[in-house]
Amino acid sequence: MTANDVSGSDLADALGVDPETNGVSVIDDDDVVQIENVESIETFDVTFDESTFSAQNYTLEFEAVDTGATAEATMTVEDPGDTTVEFADDSVFTADRGDNAEIAIDLANYNNDQLNVTIGSEDVNYKTSAVIDVDEDAEEVVLEMNSYKAGTTDTEANAFEVTEGGQIATDGENALVTRHTDFKLSQPLAAISGGYDLKVASESEDRTWDRGTLRLNERTTEGITLSTAPGDEVDLADETVEEILDDASESQSFASGDVGIVQVEATGLYGYINDVEDFGPEHDVNLNITAAQAGPNAQATTYALNGDNIDGTESLAGSYYADEENSTFYVVFDADNYEVDKQWDVEFTVGENNDLVSEDDTAESSFQVVDREIAFDQEDYTVEAADGQNITGTATVAPGTQIEVDAEATGDNPFFKIVTAEVDENGEWTADFDFSGEAPGTAFDLSASDTFGGDAAAEDVEASGNISTAEEEPEPEPEFTIDTDAPSEVTVNESAELGVTLANDGDANGTTNLTVTVNGETVDDTTKELAAGEDASFSYNIPTSEAGDVSWEVTVDDDSASGTVTVAEEGDGEDGTDGEDGEDGTDGEDGEDGEDGTDGEDGEDGTDSEDGGDGSDGDAEGQPGFGVAVALVAMLAAAMLALRRQN
C-alpha cells in the first residue's frame, strides 16, 4: 500500500499498524507498507494527523502481491482552520439571584478534550473553577450554574452541570469542580456591581482563550394571571404544562369540574423550588388560596401548596410546573375542591425569611367557582330545510368544553341528529345542523348535554324547533318603462318630434305592446322585444302645419306618459317670447277692428306690442272703424314692417 507524498513509516502510523509486528514491513525507499495475512475483507482506519498530512488530495494505491490485483482510493484532506474558543453573547451573561445562570462557550476546531471555566475572584470572596470534558466535534458547550447553591453547598459540584457539548470531568468518583475560597457562604451569591469575572482556558495547555462577565440581578415578582381549562381535557398526572395551556383560557370564573390555573411571573426561584414540597417555611415561599368570607365565628379556609406541613392550612392539591426560561411557574388544581358562589383570594409570597429578600414580596388575585350550567338562547327555533342551520346557546364551563346537541322529530317525518358544539371564550356555543331533505313544517325537540363525565356535570336543557315552509323564489320577470321627450311649444311649420325610450328594467327577457297616439291618431301599435337590461329609442313626427294644441300619449303594459305641444302662429310666437305685451295684443283681437290690431303686431319685435295695447284702449271706448289712435298704430306698424323687410 502506498500514498503520494507520505513515507511508508508515516503511512503505517496513519493505518495504525506496527512495523515491529511480525507480518508488517515498511519499505521506506518506495514509501510502501506491506501487510501479510490480510483477510479477504479487512477494514483499516486512517488517521490524517496534521503533522503528517497537509490539505490536499491523497491517492492510496493497493496491490495484492500474490495475484497482482490493484485498486486505489482518493481522499481529500481539508485545512480545519484556526482553533477558537470564546464566550457567546458578547461574553456577558445575566441571571437573577436564586435562578440558574447559563454560560455558553462557542468552539471551532477544538481538539483538546478539556476546558477549565473559572467564575469569580478572590476580590469578591467567591471563586470556583469547573473542568469540562468536551464532546468530540462539539461546537458549543453550556455550563449551568445554580446561583442559589453556588458557594453555599458543602460540595461545590452540586451547583454546576454541563447541559450541552460535554460533561463535568471527574477524578474517580469526584466531579472536578473546585471552590478556591476556604469558607462556605451563608447566603446565595450577591448582586454586585460589575458582576463576576469569567475565564475559559485549556486544561492541559493552561492557555486562556477568553474572558467574560456574569451579572446577577435581584429577584422580582411581577404578578398573577388566572386561567381555566376543561376538566375532561386535562390530566394533571400525565400532561406537560404546554399541553395544559393549549386548552386554557384566561378567566377568573371557574366552573365545578374544570381546572384552575395560577400563573405566577417571578424570578429568583428556580435554583431551589423544584416541586410542591419546596414551598412552605423552609424557603419561606408560599402560594395560598383563601376564602374571602368566612361564616360567623369561623376561620376562613386556606389551601396552600405543601399545606399539610403548614399549621392552619389544608393542602391545595395542585400540580407545579416551572418555565424558568420565561421566569414563570404554574400551579394547576381541581376547581371541585372550592365552594361555589364564593370569592377565593390567591396570594403568592416570598417572605422576609427568604435569603433573597429583605421584606415580604407579594402578588395577589382572586377567582370565583360557579355551577356548571348550559342553556339555549331561545325556547323555539325556526330553521330552513337546508345545511348550515345554527342552534346557539351559552354555558358557564371552560372554553373548549364540548356540548352535545340533539335534534329529534317523531311522527310522519322522523329524524334524529347529533351535533357537538364547542364553548368559546365568550361562553357561547353554536351547533351547526344539516336539515336539508327534511320536510317543511316538521316540528322537532332539541336537547343539549354537558359532555363532562363527573358528578358536577350540568343538567340537560331542552328547546323546540320547526322547519319552516319554504317560499318559492319568484320567477324573474321583465319590467318595461318609458321615457319621453317632446317640445312644449313650436311655431307653425316648425319641425317637431316625440322621442320615446323604451327600457326593460326587469330580470328577464320579454315583450310589451307599445302604443303611440299623436293628435288622436295612432302612429305606432306594435310589440317590442327587449332583453333584460336592454333599451331602445323611437321617434314620431308631430304635425305643425296649423296653429293649435297637439296632444300625444305613449303606453306600454306597465307604464304610460302623455303631453301637449302648442303650435303657435309665427308672430304669436315672437310676441309670446317678448313678454307680457304680447298678451295685450291678444286683448286687441277682442275688438271689432281686431284684424287691424293683428297687422300692428306683425310689424313689431317688442315696441309694437305696446301699440297693440293701445288698440285695446280704442276698443274699450266703443268707436266704430279706425279711431285716431288706431290710425296712428296702423301707420307705425306699416313703417316698422317696411323697415324689417329692408333689413
Side-chain angles (χ1 to χ4, degrees), residues 146 149 153-160:
N146 185 319
K149 294 180 178 179
T153 60
D154 292 330
T155 303
E156 190 71 3
N158 293 336
F160 290 87

Side-chain angles (χ1 to χ4, degrees), residues 12 31 48 56 65 90 161 186 192 205 237 242 248 260 271 273 292 305-306 308 343 433 478 525 531 582 588 591 608:
D31 296 338
F48 292 92
Q56 61 173 299
V65 176
D90 296 326
E161 180 184 1
S186 61
I192 59 175
E205 299 177 3
E242 290 79 14
I273 301 293
L305 275 182
N306 200 19
D308 290 340
Q343 178 177 315
F433 279 91
D525 186 7
D608 289 349

Side-chain angles (χ1 to χ4, degrees), residues 53-175:
F53 295 86
S54 60
Q56 61 173 299
N57 293 330
Y58 288 90
T59 301
L60 278 69
E61 298 178 350
F62 304 88
E63 180 180 0
V65 176
D66 53 349
T67 66
T70 62
E72 64 179 30
T74 300
M75 298 182 182
T76 300
V77 178
E78 297 180 346
D79 188 346
D82 295 335
T83 298
T84 59
V85 178
E86 57 187 12
F87 288 115
D89 300 327
D90 296 326
S91 302
V92 178
F93 306 92
T94 303
D96 286 359
R97 295 182 68 206
D99 288 341
N100 295 296
E102 288 190 343
I103 301 167
I105 304 165
D106 291 333
L107 307 175
N109 306 313
Y110 187 70
N111 296 322
N112 295 333
D113 61 348
Q114 287 185 330
L115 287 175
N116 189 312
V117 179
T118 303
I119 303 99
S121 65
E122 299 291 345
D123 293 340
V124 297
N125 299 311
Y126 175 77
K127 182 179 180 181
T128 291
S129 61
V131 179
I132 301 171
D133 285 334
V134 179
D135 291 343
E136 185 178 356
D137 299 326
E139 296 181 355
E140 183 181 46
V141 171
V142 178
L143 175 65
E144 183 178 86
M145 183 187 81
N146 185 319
S147 70
Y148 188 82
K149 294 180 178 179
T152 64
T153 60
D154 292 330
T155 303
E156 190 71 3
N158 293 336
F160 290 87
E161 180 184 1
V162 176
T163 60
E164 185 175 344
Q167 51 277 326
I168 297 291
T170 60
D171 179 10
E173 295 181 356
N174 299 318

Side-chain angles (χ1 to χ4, degrees), residues 391-461:
I391 304 297
T392 59
T394 58
T396 62
V397 297
T401 300
Q402 304 292 313
I403 304 296
E404 186 178 275
V405 185
D406 304 341
E408 182 177 15
T410 58
D412 294 338
N413 301 292
F415 61 76
F416 182 73
K417 303 177 185 292
I418 301 176
V419 171
T420 299
E422 185 173 294
V423 178
D424 65 19
E425 293 187 357
N426 297 316
E428 301 172 349
W429 53 265
T430 299
D432 187 353
F433 279 91
D434 181 3
F435 290 107
S436 57
E438 306 300 343
T442 300
F444 56 90
D445 296 323
L446 289 165
S447 176
S449 305
D450 184 3
T451 59
F452 180 70
D455 295 336
E459 294 183 0
D460 294 355
V461 292

Side-chain angles (χ1 to χ4, degrees), residues 232-253:
D232 54 356
E233 296 289 332
V234 175
D235 185 346
L236 301 183
D238 299 331
E239 294 196 66
T240 65
V241 67
E242 290 79 14
E243 292 170 325
I244 293 173
L245 293 177
D246 282 343
D247 298 313
S249 302
E250 284 190 28
S251 178
Q252 290 182 272
S253 177

